[in-house]
Amino acid sequence: MKIIRPKTEILWLGTVDDGKKLLINSEIEGVSYDLITVTADDEDESLWFEIVVNDYVVQIPMSVVQKAIESASDEVHSESWYEKNVYTNNDT
């Protein structure tokens, strides 16, 4: 799987019959993609983080995404970080 880090932008989409949404959009090889959509539920205005996976629109509660982001800043590290900070050779 190829890793890319394209330029992204936040867009607001408002329609008469679908409310207002926040989009994270990116252009990849000249094609514009909506990567992430944040929507509000019609019943209770709860926020949902929405991505498309194959033929499914997957909605995750925004509270779960916020918790993941908060946790990530303290707990997610690269392999090189672990090599420098955890897997050091203590045999001196």
Side-chain angles (χ1 to χ4, degrees):
M1 193 175 301
K2 183 178 178 182
I3 296 174
I4 60 173
R5 293 181 177 171
K7 180 181 174 189
T8 56
E9 62 182 338
I10 294 173
L11 303 174
W12 291 98
L13 176 64
T15 61
V16 173
D17 63 344
D18 204 22
K20 189 172 185 179
K21 298 179 180 186
L22 180 145
L23 307 173
I24 296 180
N25 181 276
S26 186
E27 186 175 303
I28 302 169
E29 297 181 350
V31 179
S32 178
Y33 293 94
D34 293 337
L35 304 175
I36 298 165
T37 305
V38 177
T39 64
D41 185 88
D42 279 337
E43 298 292 320
D44 63 7
E45 285 298 303
S46 60
L47 297 178
W48 294 83
F49 183 92
E50 184 176 284
I51 58 174
V52 176
V53 178
N54 295 329
D55 293 332
Y56 299 97
V57 175
V58 179
Q59 292 185 330
I60 303 165
M62 182 58 82
S63 60
V64 171
V65 175
Q66 288 171 323
K67 177 119 174 114
I69 291 169
E70 291 167 6
S71 299
S73 63
D74 292 330
E75 300 296 331
V76 175
H77 301 288
S78 66
E79 185 59 27
S80 62
W81 182 92
Y82 276 98
E83 289 173 4
K84 292 174 190 171
N85 296 287
V86 177
Y87 304 138
T88 56
N89 185 351
N90 292 328
D91 299 331
T92 54

